[in-house]
Amino acid sequence: MAAEQKSAEVTDWAARIGWLVGLVLFVALVYWLMREGWKWRGTLQSDLPELPTAPEDLGPVKLSMSGRYHGSTTAGQWLDRIVAHGLGTRSRVELTLTDEGVDVVRPGATDFFIPAEALREALLGKGIAGKVLSEGGLLVVTWAHGDKLIDSGFRSDRAAEHTEWVDTLNNMINKSTKTEGAR
């Protein structure tokens, strides 16, 4: 007799569907709030001028690098991401350094140019808004745009290139500073 007694399966499909719909709505709400926060940050940074574009003739290439662009932040504040004008969009990058400045070509995102006179410093860092790497794993270029100093983070496909970029950029900056001081 005991073998014949089975309890009926109890499934409350309405409750399961209700929980599933509730979870989907919660995830959608969180996504929408994050998107609105990103747009609000862009609105707060709307005073940032348009990004410069590369001149027609860049001159001879000193260095070039391919890798990843990890974003830009307010100089010295590695968590204060700048999203205005597409500076917050991570992407692949092709960097080219000439006497005119640094040409930043980003497939699928807004390209920009950092004029040589806007360059302030280059260093090896370990993190920038949302991306933390090993010590020296990130090339951080500090540059002036409008009245704001910006740190832009790049990571080469070949990390050994970072040191050469830092040395070359800082030499360019030091030469231009000495030339301006002599005037």
Side-chain angles (χ1 to χ4, degrees):
M1 267 200 221
E4 293 178 16
Q5 292 179 353
K6 293 183 180 177
S7 59
E9 287 187 31
V10 178
T11 304
D12 186 2
W13 286 104
R16 286 188 181 190
I17 291 172
W19 276 105
L20 183 62
V21 168
L23 180 63
V24 167
L25 288 174
F26 176 73
V27 168
L29 173 68
V30 169
Y31 175 77
W32 179 79
L33 288 172
M34 288 171 43
R35 186 170 177 265
E36 289 300 308
W38 187 268
K39 287 177 11 184
W40 178 249
R41 181 174 281 273
T43 302
L44 291 175
Q45 297 168 349
S46 63
D47 62 334
L48 197 65
E50 286 294 322
L51 296 172
T53 56
E56 291 294 322
D57 182 28
L58 286 173
V61 174
K62 288 184 170 190
L63 290 173
S64 65
M65 171 177 87
S66 64
R68 299 230 17 114
Y69 168 77
H70 287 290
S72 293
T73 62
T74 303
Q77 299 177 11
W78 70 283
L79 291 175
D80 186 21
R81 182 185 297 268
I82 297 175
V83 301
H85 307 299
L87 287 175
T89 306
R90 290 186 180 170
S91 62
R92 293 285 304 157
V93 71
E94 295 290 330
L95 289 180
T96 306
L97 176 65
T98 67
D99 287 329
E100 298 295 318
V102 180
D103 188 21
V104 182
V105 178
R106 303 185 305 154
T110 307
D111 299 342
F112 61 97
F113 181 73
I114 305 172
E117 60 273 3
L119 292 168
R120 296 296 181 259
E121 181 183 21
L123 55 93
L124 296 176
K126 67 177 185 176
I128 197 162
K131 186 65 174 179
V132 178
L133 302 161
S134 61
E135 190 68 42
L138 195 67
L139 169 64
V140 179
V141 178
T142 304
W143 54 290
H145 184 55
D147 60 350
K148 187 172 222 145
L149 281 179
I150 297 174
D151 284 342
S152 292
F154 305 95
R155 180 163 174 84
S156 174
D157 291 335
R158 294 173 299 281
E161 294 178 330
H162 290 169
T163 305
E164 183 179 11
W165 272 82
V166 168
D167 293 342
T168 305
L169 283 167
N170 284 330
N171 285 337
M172 276 180 64
I173 293 164
N174 290 337
K175 284 179 185 176
S176 69
T177 304
K178 288 178 184 175
T179 305
E180 287 175 8
R183 292 181 188 172

